[in-house]
Amino acid sequence: MLQRLLSDNFIPSADAGVGALAVSGLSVAYHQRLVLRDITWTAPAHGLVAIVGPNGAGKSTFLKAVLGLVPALTGNIEIYGRPLKRQRALIGYVPQRESVDWDFPVSALDVVTMGRYGLIGWGRRITGKHRAAAMQALDRVGMADLAHRQIGQLSGGQQQRVFLARALAQEARLYFMDEPLAGVDAATEQTILAVLRELDAEGRTVICVHHDLQTVAETFDHVLMLNGELVAAGPVYEALTEDNLRRAYGQRASGLRLGPR
Amino acid sequence: MTLDAATFLSVDLPALLAALFACLSCALVGNFLVLRRQALMGDAISHAVLPGIVAGFLVAGTRDTVPMLAGALTAALVAGVMIELVRRLGRVEAGAAMGVVFTGLFALGVVLIEQGPARQIDLDADCVLYGQLEAILWLAPNGWSDLTDPALWATLPRQVVQLVAVFALCLVIILIFLKELTLVCFDPALADTLGLKSGLVQHGIVGLAALAAIAAFEAVGSILVIAMLICPAATARLYTDRMGTQLVVSLLVGGVTGLGGYALAAFGPSLLGYDMAVNAAGSIAVLAGVILGLSILLAPRYGVLARATGRAMRGAAA
């Protein structure tokens, strides 16, 4: 708690007109190839946001650059109106499942507890209070029974739920998730969608890389469409037009059904 | 064969202690290399620091730890920069760059030993490559009763004291920062988003590995250090799914390997009636390999046999 106070995180009230995330002029290159060009975008103060775009559009790179995990060539990033460095305690991150070694000798509860390390403080013991909070997060995704199982012995969907629980345990205000619904079973999908709605109802912002255009409209409020550069952004029904999709995906998108209109 | 107390206390006890603590340090630190799937890094470090150790030795003219350590750490830094340069300028992948740099530096170290004034001082290729457990002597004690005299313990050989100190340092650091080390090995990206600089911690791990390798190098030699960094941790991995147990098992395996390997080398041949001794460092590394090999076959859950019978049983049930 003390650490939270000391870190002096600043969250403007919803009517202050400051977005959860403000990106301006962001460009990122891998191996001298420009992956993202001059992205300027302000995320809404709350709601569920989908980042969509074809393979190689730079969706994951966008998340990583915003989180400071890959260096940006140019650009400025602000979280609730302040630089990322001062607002770390406000962000939670759910990486792609393939990004870690699931053979690692840790249990589901151990992994979820990692989400609280920022709150616990570096070099300090993990106390019962934090374990209890981690357990509660696991319970929220329906995984309390499997808390002590080694993570490699969980199914893909269960592993994804562990990652989500870890983010919940962070008690963040702004969440970044990289394809949380990719390749999960139906039960896991329902659980994750329910948690996303809860987070939204609690006034938090969730920004998800999402691969399935069919389900964007039924789950998300806002969309950021990328194809190396910003194609469109805004409320789903304004931004997710056939015209924009064709600009992002090329002719492949022309046959797509986009939910009710 | 007779083993009188004075010989045991002067020759075998210090060697056993040195072997024990060298193996414990390497086993403990090795866990984090194995869990990061960077076992080869241990090999690279133990080879690349050789010219630095020799240079430190040449500059200082003594076998003190501090100059050799300074030289080794410098060499480790130079190796890191060189690997990055080769990777970028040569446009090759990291593994290839590492392979080129660490063999190159190791070769430079060997050349320095063989050609330089190191020959006049007492540093020769044999002791650097294979260690010299047998040369660590503790001349003070004459009988078991001497061990109760605290003043006598102050005369423990320098190598043993250093190894104990390095082990204690590694243990304390790892116990304090276990949470952080585990996080960075498992998910460096999460560490970074939480504000813990994973790159810095990873350098710390390499630094600890270098420290353990340098301390152990006098005891088991620079080539065999790699066996002690990797085998105990890899063995422990086959017996547990818990981080704490992993560390404890690796320490047990490391300790048994160190003591057992020396005992096999020193007493094994004479027990069998041969009037000879086997190189202790070689014997320790072989024992580490044998224990790992047996564990791969026989470990209760992840061993080859257990998995094969598990499959057969599931097959029968299906």
Side-chain angles (χ1 to χ4, degrees), chain A residues 234-255:
Chain A
V236 169
Y237 287 106
E238 282 175 29
L240 206 63
T241 62
E242 287 215 25
D243 201 33
N244 284 337
L245 285 169
R246 205 167 291 118
R247 281 170 57 208
Y249 290 80
Q251 289 309 312
R252 278 175 297 156
S254 54

PDB file of all heavy atoms in Angstrom, chain A residues 234-255:
ATOM      1  N   GLY A 234     -11.784   4.278 -33.590  1.00  0.00           N
ATOM      2  CA  GLY A 234     -13.016   4.891 -33.110  1.00  0.00           C
ATOM      3  C   GLY A 234     -13.983   3.840 -32.631  1.00  0.00           C
ATOM      4  O   GLY A 234     -13.622   2.666 -32.533  1.00  0.00           O
ATOM      5  N   PRO A 235     -15.216   4.238 -32.329  1.00  0.00           N
ATOM      6  CA  PRO A 235     -16.231   3.261 -31.931  1.00  0.00           C
ATOM      7  C   PRO A 235     -16.390   2.206 -33.023  1.00  0.00           C
ATOM      8  O   PRO A 235     -16.257   2.525 -34.221  1.00  0.00           O
ATOM      9  CB  PRO A 235     -17.497   4.119 -31.802  1.00  0.00           C
ATOM     10  CG  PRO A 235     -17.001   5.499 -31.541  1.00  0.00           C
ATOM     11  CD  PRO A 235     -15.699   5.610 -32.273  1.00  0.00           C
ATOM     12  N   VAL A 236     -16.667   0.964 -32.629  1.00  0.00           N
ATOM     13  CA  VAL A 236     -16.678  -0.148 -33.573  1.00  0.00           C
ATOM     14  C   VAL A 236     -17.525   0.156 -34.804  1.00  0.00           C
ATOM     15  O   VAL A 236     -17.082  -0.051 -35.937  1.00  0.00           O
ATOM     16  CB  VAL A 236     -17.183  -1.428 -32.876  1.00  0.00           C
ATOM     17  CG1 VAL A 236     -17.454  -2.524 -33.893  1.00  0.00           C
ATOM     18  CG2 VAL A 236     -16.143  -1.900 -31.871  1.00  0.00           C
ATOM     19  N   TYR A 237     -18.755   0.688 -34.586  1.00  0.00           N
ATOM     20  CA  TYR A 237     -19.647   0.838 -35.731  1.00  0.00           C
ATOM     21  C   TYR A 237     -19.230   1.977 -36.652  1.00  0.00           C
ATOM     22  O   TYR A 237     -19.664   2.055 -37.790  1.00  0.00           O
ATOM     23  CB  TYR A 237     -21.092   0.999 -35.260  1.00  0.00           C
ATOM     24  CG  TYR A 237     -21.607  -0.318 -34.757  1.00  0.00           C
ATOM     25  CD1 TYR A 237     -21.773  -0.550 -33.398  1.00  0.00           C
ATOM     26  CD2 TYR A 237     -21.852  -1.355 -35.660  1.00  0.00           C
ATOM     27  CE1 TYR A 237     -22.199  -1.787 -32.950  1.00  0.00           C
ATOM     28  CE2 TYR A 237     -22.283  -2.596 -35.222  1.00  0.00           C
ATOM     29  CZ  TYR A 237     -22.458  -2.810 -33.853  1.00  0.00           C
ATOM     30  OH  TYR A 237     -22.855  -4.021 -33.432  1.00  0.00           O
ATOM     31  N   GLU A 238     -18.362   2.852 -36.164  1.00  0.00           N
ATOM     32  CA  GLU A 238     -17.855   3.897 -37.062  1.00  0.00           C
ATOM     33  C   GLU A 238     -16.601   3.452 -37.806  1.00  0.00           C
ATOM     34  O   GLU A 238     -16.416   3.756 -38.972  1.00  0.00           O
ATOM     35  CB  GLU A 238     -17.515   5.160 -36.254  1.00  0.00           C
ATOM     36  CG  GLU A 238     -18.721   5.978 -35.878  1.00  0.00           C
ATOM     37  CD  GLU A 238     -18.326   7.141 -34.986  1.00  0.00           C
ATOM     38  OE1 GLU A 238     -17.171   7.619 -35.106  1.00  0.00           O
ATOM     39  OE2 GLU A 238     -19.155   7.556 -34.151  1.00  0.00           O
ATOM     40  N   ALA A 239     -15.742   2.722 -37.090  1.00  0.00           N
ATOM     41  CA  ALA A 239     -14.425   2.422 -37.665  1.00  0.00           C
ATOM     42  C   ALA A 239     -14.397   1.124 -38.462  1.00  0.00           C
ATOM     43  O   ALA A 239     -13.599   0.954 -39.374  1.00  0.00           O
ATOM     44  CB  ALA A 239     -13.373   2.363 -36.552  1.00  0.00           C
ATOM     45  N   LEU A 240     -15.269   0.183 -38.090  1.00  0.00           N
ATOM     46  CA  LEU A 240     -15.183  -1.142 -38.710  1.00  0.00           C
ATOM     47  C   LEU A 240     -16.036  -1.192 -39.986  1.00  0.00           C
ATOM     48  O   LEU A 240     -16.978  -1.954 -40.104  1.00  0.00           O
ATOM     49  CB  LEU A 240     -15.667  -2.196 -37.709  1.00  0.00           C
ATOM     50  CG  LEU A 240     -15.110  -3.614 -37.884  1.00  0.00           C
ATOM     51  CD1 LEU A 240     -13.608  -3.635 -37.694  1.00  0.00           C
ATOM     52  CD2 LEU A 240     -15.769  -4.547 -36.882  1.00  0.00           C
ATOM     53  N   THR A 241     -15.688  -0.355 -40.947  1.00  0.00           N
ATOM     54  CA  THR A 241     -16.454  -0.331 -42.189  1.00  0.00           C
ATOM     55  C   THR A 241     -15.751  -1.179 -43.237  1.00  0.00           C
ATOM     56  O   THR A 241     -14.542  -1.432 -43.135  1.00  0.00           O
ATOM     57  CB  THR A 241     -16.544   1.104 -42.727  1.00  0.00           C
ATOM     58  OG1 THR A 241     -15.212   1.554 -43.007  1.00  0.00           O
ATOM     59  CG2 THR A 241     -17.179   2.030 -41.701  1.00  0.00           C
ATOM     60  N   GLU A 242     -16.508  -1.587 -44.242  1.00  0.00           N
ATOM     61  CA  GLU A 242     -15.913  -2.408 -45.305  1.00  0.00           C
ATOM     62  C   GLU A 242     -14.785  -1.664 -45.996  1.00  0.00           C
ATOM     63  O   GLU A 242     -13.773  -2.244 -46.374  1.00  0.00           O
ATOM     64  CB  GLU A 242     -16.993  -2.792 -46.323  1.00  0.00           C
ATOM     65  CG  GLU A 242     -17.945  -3.831 -45.777  1.00  0.00           C
ATOM     66  CD  GLU A 242     -18.419  -4.798 -46.844  1.00  0.00           C
ATOM     67  OE1 GLU A 242     -17.698  -4.983 -47.858  1.00  0.00           O
ATOM     68  OE2 GLU A 242     -19.501  -5.368 -46.663  1.00  0.00           O
ATOM     69  N   ASP A 243     -14.989  -0.387 -46.144  1.00  0.00           N
ATOM     70  CA  ASP A 243     -13.990   0.445 -46.806  1.00  0.00           C
ATOM     71  C   ASP A 243     -12.669   0.394 -46.030  1.00  0.00           C
ATOM     72  O   ASP A 243     -11.603   0.146 -46.609  1.00  0.00           O
ATOM     73  CB  ASP A 243     -14.525   1.880 -46.853  1.00  0.00           C
ATOM     74  CG  ASP A 243     -13.834   2.680 -47.942  1.00  0.00           C
ATOM     75  OD1 ASP A 243     -13.493   2.057 -48.974  1.00  0.00           O
ATOM     76  OD2 ASP A 243     -13.628   3.891 -47.739  1.00  0.00           O
ATOM     77  N   ASN A 244     -12.747   0.592 -44.682  1.00  0.00           N
ATOM     78  CA  ASN A 244     -11.543   0.547 -43.856  1.00  0.00           C
ATOM     79  C   ASN A 244     -10.909  -0.838 -43.882  1.00  0.00           C
ATOM     80  O   ASN A 244      -9.688  -0.980 -43.929  1.00  0.00           O
ATOM     81  CB  ASN A 244     -11.880   0.931 -42.412  1.00  0.00           C
ATOM     82  CG  ASN A 244     -12.077   2.435 -42.281  1.00  0.00           C
ATOM     83  OD1 ASN A 244     -11.570   3.191 -43.100  1.00  0.00           O
ATOM     84  ND2 ASN A 244     -12.818   2.846 -41.269  1.00  0.00           N
ATOM     85  N   LEU A 245     -11.761  -1.873 -43.807  1.00  0.00           N
ATOM     86  CA  LEU A 245     -11.239  -3.238 -43.808  1.00  0.00           C
ATOM     87  C   LEU A 245     -10.476  -3.516 -45.094  1.00  0.00           C
ATOM     88  O   LEU A 245      -9.434  -4.158 -45.087  1.00  0.00           O
ATOM     89  CB  LEU A 245     -12.374  -4.247 -43.636  1.00  0.00           C
ATOM     90  CG  LEU A 245     -12.909  -4.328 -42.204  1.00  0.00           C
ATOM     91  CD1 LEU A 245     -14.192  -5.132 -42.164  1.00  0.00           C
ATOM     92  CD2 LEU A 245     -11.867  -4.941 -41.286  1.00  0.00           C
ATOM     93  N   ARG A 246     -11.027  -3.010 -46.215  1.00  0.00           N
ATOM     94  CA  ARG A 246     -10.340  -3.244 -47.479  1.00  0.00           C
ATOM     95  C   ARG A 246      -8.991  -2.528 -47.476  1.00  0.00           C
ATOM     96  O   ARG A 246      -8.006  -3.039 -47.981  1.00  0.00           O
ATOM     97  CB  ARG A 246     -11.206  -2.768 -48.652  1.00  0.00           C
ATOM     98  CG  ARG A 246     -10.881  -3.501 -49.949  1.00  0.00           C
ATOM     99  CD  ARG A 246     -11.936  -3.257 -51.027  1.00  0.00           C
ATOM    100  NE  ARG A 246     -13.206  -3.886 -50.702  1.00  0.00           N
ATOM    101  CZ  ARG A 246     -14.339  -3.187 -50.524  1.00  0.00           C
ATOM    102  NH1 ARG A 246     -14.361  -1.882 -50.644  1.00  0.00           N
ATOM    103  NH2 ARG A 246     -15.458  -3.820 -50.249  1.00  0.00           N
ATOM    104  N   ARG A 247      -8.946  -1.352 -46.855  1.00  0.00           N
ATOM    105  CA  ARG A 247      -7.675  -0.625 -46.797  1.00  0.00           C
ATOM    106  C   ARG A 247      -6.670  -1.369 -45.920  1.00  0.00           C
ATOM    107  O   ARG A 247      -5.473  -1.353 -46.167  1.00  0.00           O
ATOM    108  CB  ARG A 247      -7.899   0.783 -46.243  1.00  0.00           C
ATOM    109  CG  ARG A 247      -8.455   1.729 -47.299  1.00  0.00           C
ATOM    110  CD  ARG A 247      -8.894   3.028 -46.671  1.00  0.00           C
ATOM    111  NE  ARG A 247      -7.804   3.686 -45.947  1.00  0.00           N
ATOM    112  CZ  ARG A 247      -7.986   4.489 -44.900  1.00  0.00           C
ATOM    113  NH1 ARG A 247      -9.193   4.700 -44.428  1.00  0.00           N
ATOM    114  NH2 ARG A 247      -6.958   5.043 -44.310  1.00  0.00           N
ATOM    115  N   ALA A 248      -7.172  -2.029 -44.854  1.00  0.00           N
ATOM    116  CA  ALA A 248      -6.255  -2.730 -43.949  1.00  0.00           C
ATOM    117  C   ALA A 248      -5.872  -4.103 -44.481  1.00  0.00           C
ATOM    118  O   ALA A 248      -4.715  -4.500 -44.428  1.00  0.00           O
ATOM    119  CB  ALA A 248      -6.887  -2.870 -42.569  1.00  0.00           C
ATOM    120  N   TYR A 249      -6.838  -4.846 -44.966  1.00  0.00           N
ATOM    121  CA  TYR A 249      -6.609  -6.251 -45.318  1.00  0.00           C
ATOM    122  C   TYR A 249      -6.475  -6.483 -46.814  1.00  0.00           C
ATOM    123  O   TYR A 249      -6.164  -7.578 -47.247  1.00  0.00           O
ATOM    124  CB  TYR A 249      -7.764  -7.122 -44.821  1.00  0.00           C
ATOM    125  CG  TYR A 249      -7.831  -7.273 -43.310  1.00  0.00           C
ATOM    126  CD1 TYR A 249      -8.375  -6.290 -42.512  1.00  0.00           C
ATOM    127  CD2 TYR A 249      -7.350  -8.439 -42.707  1.00  0.00           C
ATOM    128  CE1 TYR A 249      -8.441  -6.429 -41.139  1.00  0.00           C
ATOM    129  CE2 TYR A 249      -7.412  -8.589 -41.337  1.00  0.00           C
ATOM    130  CZ  TYR A 249      -7.959  -7.588 -40.561  1.00  0.00           C
ATOM    131  OH  TYR A 249      -8.022  -7.741 -39.200  1.00  0.00           O
ATOM    132  N   GLY A 250      -6.775  -5.509 -47.635  1.00  0.00           N
ATOM    133  CA  GLY A 250      -6.779  -5.715 -49.066  1.00  0.00           C
ATOM    134  C   GLY A 250      -8.074  -6.407 -49.457  1.00  0.00           C
ATOM    135  O   GLY A 250      -9.046  -6.415 -48.703  1.00  0.00           O
ATOM    136  N   GLN A 251      -8.073  -7.049 -50.629  1.00  0.00           N
ATOM    137  CA  GLN A 251      -9.311  -7.616 -51.169  1.00  0.00           C
ATOM    138  C   GLN A 251      -9.837  -8.788 -50.331  1.00  0.00           C
ATOM    139  O   GLN A 251     -11.004  -9.123 -50.382  1.00  0.00           O
ATOM    140  CB  GLN A 251      -9.101  -8.073 -52.618  1.00  0.00           C
ATOM    141  CG  GLN A 251      -8.953  -6.924 -53.583  1.00  0.00           C
ATOM    142  CD  GLN A 251     -10.082  -5.903 -53.442  1.00  0.00           C
ATOM    143  OE1 GLN A 251     -11.255  -6.258 -53.394  1.00  0.00           O
ATOM    144  NE2 GLN A 251      -9.723  -4.619 -53.352  1.00  0.00           N
ATOM    145  N   ARG A 252      -8.920  -9.390 -49.521  1.00  0.00           N
ATOM    146  CA  ARG A 252      -9.337 -10.561 -48.732  1.00  0.00           C
ATOM    147  C   ARG A 252     -10.538 -10.242 -47.841  1.00  0.00           C
ATOM    148  O   ARG A 252     -11.300 -11.114 -47.491  1.00  0.00           O
ATOM    149  CB  ARG A 252      -8.176 -11.025 -47.840  1.00  0.00           C
ATOM    150  CG  ARG A 252      -7.178 -11.888 -48.571  1.00  0.00           C
ATOM    151  CD  ARG A 252      -6.014 -12.201 -47.654  1.00  0.00           C
ATOM    152  NE  ARG A 252      -5.297 -10.988 -47.287  1.00  0.00           N
ATOM    153  CZ  ARG A 252      -4.566 -10.869 -46.180  1.00  0.00           C
ATOM    154  NH1 ARG A 252      -4.487 -11.865 -45.345  1.00  0.00           N
ATOM    155  NH2 ARG A 252      -3.946  -9.744 -45.917  1.00  0.00           N
ATOM    156  N   ALA A 253     -10.666  -8.996 -47.436  1.00  0.00           N
ATOM    157  CA  ALA A 253     -11.697  -8.651 -46.462  1.00  0.00           C
ATOM    158  C   ALA A 253     -13.065  -8.483 -47.094  1.00  0.00           C
ATOM    159  O   ALA A 253     -14.064  -8.422 -46.401  1.00  0.00           O
ATOM    160  CB  ALA A 253     -11.314  -7.356 -45.752  1.00  0.00           C
ATOM    161  N   SER A 254     -13.132  -8.459 -48.432  1.00  0.00           N
ATOM    162  CA  SER A 254     -14.379  -8.056 -49.073  1.00  0.00           C
ATOM    163  C   SER A 254     -15.523  -9.008 -48.761  1.00  0.00           C
ATOM    164  O   SER A 254     -16.666  -8.595 -48.709  1.00  0.00           O
ATOM    165  CB  SER A 254     -14.169  -7.930 -50.588  1.00  0.00           C
ATOM    166  OG  SER A 254     -13.629  -9.149 -51.068  1.00  0.00           O
ATOM    167  N   GLY A 255     -15.219 -10.290 -48.507  1.00  0.00           N
ATOM    168  CA  GLY A 255     -16.312 -11.242 -48.268  1.00  0.00           C
ATOM    169  C   GLY A 255     -16.715 -11.355 -46.803  1.00  0.00           C
ATOM    170  O   GLY A 255     -17.595 -12.130 -46.467  1.00  0.00           O
TER     171      GLY A 255
END
